[in-house]
């Protein structure tokens, strides 16, 4: 398994073993603690976020605040070479190093769209209701973009509808007040506590309010 974890120890890619773990699962394992607390990378055998012993390598990507981990279940890694444990460990680490290189390429390929997505959400939060995240991908980033754009469209429609209703109420209140002010009748409205809720011009003239 190859995956990324941020400095808050939160998994930011999908898990092979746990559904919907991205951005929800906290990965508090030994290699993560070493990088977060001591900026020290690690290669060896340890328990992963499932509590399963694995052979793994961690690599720090400080410019993005990420940790890249490549892991293989210890039982799987040593299954065919039980009598040659040291050899298996060396081969496992060598394979993990190759996967780490591939992981770095993968991280570079997703860093720009993630940065663009963060900028889009910030502009939207500052009031740019027309901001949308346009990306032509069929992976998790594409799914995230589609979900954000759908949410933004729904929110924009609700805000537009709210403004329309508020404007209708304002015009209705103005029309009602104009009708009341143009009548010769004295009109007022009180609540149960005796507070005036509405008066017209005739009431003001008569009682000098």
């Amino acid at each position: 398994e190859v995956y990324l974890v941020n400095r808050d120890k939160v998994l930011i890619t999908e898990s092979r073993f746990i559904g919907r773990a991205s951005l929800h699962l906290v990965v508090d394992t030994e290699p993560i603690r070493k990088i977060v607390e001591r900026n020290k990378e690690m290669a060896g055998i340890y328990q992963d976020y499932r509590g399963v012993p694995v052979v793994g390598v961690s690599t720090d990507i400080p410019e993005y605040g990420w940790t890249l981990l490549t892991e293989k279940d210890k039982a799987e890694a040593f299954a065919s070479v039980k009598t040659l444990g040291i050899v298996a460990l060396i081969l496992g680490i060598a394979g993990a190093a190759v996967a780490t290189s591939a992981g770095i390429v993968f991280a570079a390929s997703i860093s720009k769209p993630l940065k663009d997505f963060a900028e889009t959400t910030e502009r939207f939060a500052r009031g740019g209701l027309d901001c949308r995240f346009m990306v032509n991908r069929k992976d998790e980033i594409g799914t995230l973009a589609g979900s954000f754009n759908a949410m933004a469209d729904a929110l924009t429609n609700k805000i537009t509808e709210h403004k329309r209703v508020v404007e209708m109420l304002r015009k209705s209140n103005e029309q009602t007040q104009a009708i009341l002010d143009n009548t010769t009748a004295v009109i007022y409205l009180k609540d149960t506590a005796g507070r005036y809720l509405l008066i017209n011009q005739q009431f003001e003239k008569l009682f000098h309010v």
Side-chain angles (χ1 to χ4, degrees), residues 68-141:
L68 177 67
L69 297 105
T70 304
E71 299 170 346
K72 188 178 184 69
D73 284 5
K74 178 182 175 183
E76 184 180 352
F78 289 88
S80 61
V81 285
K82 292 182 179 179
T83 60
L84 300 173
I86 299 299
V87 174
L89 177 59
I90 294 173
L91 292 176
I93 292 176
V98 173
T100 299
S101 299
I104 292 174
V105 173
F106 165 75
S109 71
I110 66 171
S111 61
K112 186 180 186 306
L114 285 176
K115 181 180 179 181
D116 293 342
F117 178 69
E119 292 175 352
T120 300
T121 57
E122 288 175 3
R123 290 198 303 272
F124 187 84
R126 290 196 297 266
L129 300 182
D130 59 338
C131 292
R132 299 294 183 273
F133 183 47
M134 309 308 296
V135 59
N136 186 21
R137 299 173 67 127
K138 297 184 182 294
D139 56 6
E140 289 83 358
I141 294 177

Side-chain angles (χ1 to χ4, degrees), residues 56-77:
V57 175
S58 64
T59 301
D60 189 19
I61 309 177
E63 58 267 30
Y64 300 115
W66 296 344
T67 301
L68 177 67
L69 297 105
T70 304
E71 299 170 346
K72 188 178 184 69
D73 284 5
K74 178 182 175 183
E76 184 180 352

Side-chain angles (χ1 to χ4, degrees), residues 26-85:
V26 175
V27 182
D28 189 16
T29 58
E30 184 179 0
I32 295 298
R33 290 193 295 270
K34 282 190 175 182
I35 286 181
V36 171
E37 298 169 8
R38 292 182 281 171
N39 293 322
K40 184 177 180 181
E41 299 177 343
M42 176 180 175
I45 301 174
Y46 52 88
Q47 288 191 342
D48 69 356
Y49 56 84
R50 300 169 296 154
V52 175
V54 295
V55 178
V57 175
S58 64
T59 301
D60 189 19
I61 309 177
E63 58 267 30
Y64 300 115
W66 296 344
T67 301
L68 177 67
L69 297 105
T70 304
E71 299 170 346
K72 188 178 184 69
D73 284 5
K74 178 182 175 183
E76 184 180 352
F78 289 88
S80 61
V81 285
K82 292 182 179 179
T83 60
L84 300 173

